[in-house]
Amino acid sequence: MTKVVKIGDQVIGGGNPILIQSMTNTKTEDVAATVAQIQALTAAGCDIIRCAVPTMEAAEALTEIKKQVSIPVVADIHFDYRLALAAIEHGADKIRINPGNIGSTDRIQAVVNVAKERNIPIRVGVNSGSLEKPLVKKYNGVTAQGLVESALDKVAMLEKYDFHDMVVSIKSSDVLMCAEAYRLVADKINYPLHVGITEAGTVFSGNIKSAVGLGIILNQGIGDTIRVSLTGNPVNEIASAK
């Protein structure tokens, strides 16, 4: 049984229902377009939405977006820790970062301190496409074992600062590798798991890959929140996830 993590007014883990997630493909800076897409996703049954935050303008837009939507908003952060801080300041209910690519330990600690202060959970994750070179070398390629070691390393980075409000994801476009990695990591941690097959593809091919991969994972009793990644209109992801 995983621990319970609160995301806005929703909870995942601890045997609670598996919540469906999606991600907007609008420019987050375009508040009207982003809100319209989130509202369409909400109507389709999306429980949590993630928005890319590549700029300070995008982080600032979260304030107005939050006023107009009814589901929790997750800020997707890459590289710049200042965007994580700004996203929290502007109302993000959760942030998604890779602690390994936002810089020095003081930057990681700065994000953790603000997240703890505001009770904002952090999703940490690894992707087979960006697995660290030492782990690729150690395991003679990209493997489930390497992905799990990388994920546990990211978890340890935050636990070092007594942060435990985490959700963990391991993404791979290799269906069986992804399923194996989730099986392995589920035995090692009790944080809620965000499950999905990365770069799944079009509605047709992506649904097949996701049905197989996520079917295997969920059938093992693993997974607390789910996203089916499809190209095109993200509303299509919701029916597939259901």
Side-chain angles (χ1 to χ4, degrees):
M1 184 78 72
T2 59
K3 68 174 291 184
V4 174
V5 168
K6 192 170 186 291
I7 304 162
D9 60 359
Q10 299 274 27
V11 291
I12 60 171
N16 283 292
I18 296 173
L19 298 187
I20 295 172
Q21 298 199 25
S22 185
M23 184 171 182
T24 54
N25 59 11
T26 57
K27 290 191 72 172
T28 306
E29 296 89 338
D30 187 340
V31 171
T34 302
V35 167
Q37 191 168 81
I38 294 173
Q39 289 175 340
L41 284 158
T42 304
C46 183
D47 299 304
I48 299 170
I49 188 64
R50 180 159 51 109
C51 298
V53 179
T55 65
M56 197 58 72
E57 187 184 354
E60 292 165 357
L62 294 177
T63 295
E64 190 57 38
I65 290 168
K66 282 280 296 173
K67 291 177 183 176
Q68 300 183 48
V69 303
S70 59
I71 60 175
V73 175
V74 181
D76 195 43
I77 310 295
H78 292 276
F79 305 111
D80 193 339
Y81 81 105
R82 293 169 297 183
L83 295 176
L85 299 177
I88 294 173
E89 179 69 28
H90 288 279
D93 297 295
K94 174 178 150 190
I95 59 170
R96 184 261 190 181
I97 61 171
N98 179 339
N101 69 20
I102 63 170
S104 56
T105 54
D106 59 322
R107 293 179 176 183
I108 297 171
Q109 187 171 13
V111 174
V112 167
N113 287 345
V114 174
K116 284 174 71 173
E117 180 184 312
R118 303 288 185 91
N119 294 315
I120 301 298
I122 296 175
R123 174 185 150 199
V124 296
V126 296
N127 191 306
S128 61
S130 56
L131 185 63
E132 297 94 323
K133 289 181 181 178
L135 289 174
V136 175
K137 183 176 181 181
K138 177 179 178 179
Y139 292 100
N140 297 312
V142 178
T143 65
Q145 291 79 7
L147 291 171
V148 170
E149 185 170 333
S150 179
L152 295 177
D153 179 57
K154 307 302 180 295
V155 167
M157 285 183 185
L158 300 192
E159 288 180 334
K160 176 182 176 182
Y161 302 109
D162 195 31
F163 188 85
H164 304 280
D165 205 9
M166 269 182 270
V167 179
V168 178
S169 68
I170 297 179
K171 296 293 189 70
S172 174
S173 54
D174 183 310
V175 170
L176 296 181
M177 183 191 299
C178 197
E180 174 69 0
Y182 274 110
R183 185 186 67 79
L184 292 172
V185 82
D187 287 335
K188 297 180 181 295
I189 59 174
N190 75 330
Y191 296 111
L193 294 174
H194 170 115
V195 298
I197 307 297
T198 195
E199 299 169 5
T202 63
V203 171
F204 181 74
S205 64
N207 272 330
I208 294 170
K209 288 182 73 171
S210 291
V212 174
L214 298 178
I216 293 170
I217 294 165
L218 295 170
N219 189 56
Q220 297 176 82
I222 296 168
D224 301 283
T225 181
I226 182 175
R227 183 199 171 191
V228 173
S229 299
L230 301 175
T231 55
N233 188 339
V235 172
N236 292 324
E237 297 179 355
I238 308 307
S240 300
K242 286 184 176 181

